[in-house]
C-alpha cells in the first residue's frame, strides 16, 4: 500500500499534532523528534473566492546538525481534494447526483463552478479509484447487501459502501481520507 498520508480536521487537531511533534517519528526516515512546522499550503476551492488553507507542512530538520532527513510532509485538511479546487462535500454531492441520475445532470447541477471537462475528468478519476477505495474499506466494513431486483452500477455500490462505513460522518469522503490515511482520488 502507498505511503500513509496525514490529515486533520480542525485547528484543535492541528494543535494536538504540533504538541506531539517531539515524540513523532518522521514518516520518511522514522527518526523521532526532528519534525518542525514548515509553513502552509493555500489554494482555491468551492468554499470561497479567496485562497483557503489546504495543508500544513512539516520539515524533518537536517539543519544545525539535526538528524532529520530534510524532507517535507504535508498534513492535509481532510475535506480537501488533492490537485482539485474542490471540497470533499461538493465532490460527495456531485458523485451522489451522478449515480442517482446522470453525469450530465450532475454537471448541470454543479452550476458551472468547474468546466464540464473538469467534471468529466473528476468522474474518470473516481472510476479509476474505485477498486482502491473498495479495498481500503473492506477491512473496516463489509459492503452493504444489494437488494436483489436492483443491481446498481459499481459507482453506486462504492458510495453505499462509504455511507455504511462512516454513517455518522458529515462527509464520508473526508472521513475516508482521515481514517484510511490516503487520498480519496
Ligand atoms: Zn525524516
Amino acid at each position: 500500500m502507498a505511503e500513509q498520508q496525514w490529515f486533520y480536521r480542525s485547528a484543535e487537531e492541528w494543535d494536538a499534532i504540533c504538541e506531539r511533534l517531539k515524540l513523532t517519528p518522521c514518516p520518511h526516515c522514522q527518526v523521532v523528534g526532528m519534525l518542525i512546522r514548515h509553513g502552509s499550503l493555500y489554494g482555491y476551492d468551492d468554499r470561497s473566492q479567496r485562497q483557503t488553507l489546504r495543508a500544513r507542512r512539516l520539515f524533518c530538520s537536517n539543519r544545525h546538525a539535526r538528524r532529520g532527513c530534510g524532507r517535507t510532509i504535508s498534513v492535509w485538511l481532510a475535506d480537501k481534494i488533492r490537485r482539485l479546487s474542490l471540497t470533499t462535500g461538493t465532490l460527495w454531492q456531485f458523485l451522489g447526483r451522478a449515480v442517482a441520475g446522470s453525469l450530465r445532470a450532475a454537471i448541470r447541477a454543479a452550476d458551472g463552478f468547474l468546466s464540464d471537462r473538469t467534471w468529466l475528468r473528476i468522474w474518470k478519476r473516481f472510476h479509476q479509484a474505485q477498486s482502491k477505495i473498495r479495498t481500503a474499506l473492506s477491512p473496516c466494513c463489509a459492503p452493504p447487501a444489494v437488494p436483489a431486483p436492483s443491481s446498481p452500477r459499481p459507482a453506486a455500490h462504492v458510495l453505499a459502501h462509504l455511507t455504511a462505513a462512516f454513517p455518522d460522518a458529515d462527509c464520508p469522503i473526508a472521513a475516508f481520507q482521515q481514517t484510511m490515511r490516503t487520498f480519496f482520488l
Side-chain angles (χ1 to χ4, degrees):
M1 193 161 165
E3 189 172 286
Q4 286 198 337
Q5 300 294 330
W6 293 7
F7 294 92
Y8 73 103
R9 289 204 69 134
S10 62
E12 290 74 30
E13 277 187 24
W14 172 245
D15 288 343
I17 288 170
C18 291
E19 277 167 25
R20 288 195 308 268
L21 280 184
K22 290 264 172 290
L23 308 169
T24 303
C26 167
H28 301 301
C29 68
Q30 312 305 326
V31 173
V32 174
M34 295 299 126
L35 295 176
I36 55 174
R37 298 175 58 153
H38 193 59
S40 306
L41 209 67
Y42 290 85
Y44 292 99
D45 61 38
D46 49 86
R47 188 92 46 86
S48 160
Q49 300 278 355
R50 291 191 204 152
Q51 295 207 21
T52 56
L53 180 65
R54 287 170 69 73
R56 304 281 195 178
R57 310 270 287 161
L58 298 172
F59 175 61
C60 183
S61 183
N62 56 0
R63 293 179 192 154
H64 311 298
R66 288 171 66 93
R67 297 174 292 110
C69 63
R71 295 179 68 180
T72 55
I73 298 106
S74 296
V75 188
W76 282 76
L77 272 160
D79 68 346
K80 306 293 178 186
I81 300 287
R82 173 184 55 154
R83 301 204 306 268
L84 285 172
S85 314
L86 201 62
T87 55
T88 57
T90 302
L91 177 61
W92 179 249
Q93 209 172 38
F94 168 74
L95 294 177
R97 283 175 179 149
V99 157
S102 71
L103 188 54
R104 188 160 296 282
I107 291 172
R108 209 178 312 122
D111 209 17
F113 167 71
L114 296 173
S115 72
D116 290 11
R117 261 182 66 190
T118 303
W119 285 117
L120 289 171
R121 213 177 66 226
I122 291 167
W123 181 250
K124 200 170 151 200
R125 253 171 83 175
F126 172 61
H127 252 276
Q128 286 162 350
Q130 280 178 23
S131 71
K132 186 200 83 176
I133 295 165
R134 269 200 300 253
T135 305
L137 285 173
S138 305
C140 87
C141 163
V146 181
S150 66
S151 63
R153 291 172 289 166
H157 212 185
V158 171
L159 297 194
H161 200 170
L162 276 162
T163 308
F166 307 107
D168 303 322
D170 291 340
C171 175
I173 296 175
F176 174 91
Q177 296 201 124
Q178 191 163 29
T179 307
M180 303 301 169
R181 304 188 78 162
T182 187
F183 292 112
F184 182 73
L185 290 183

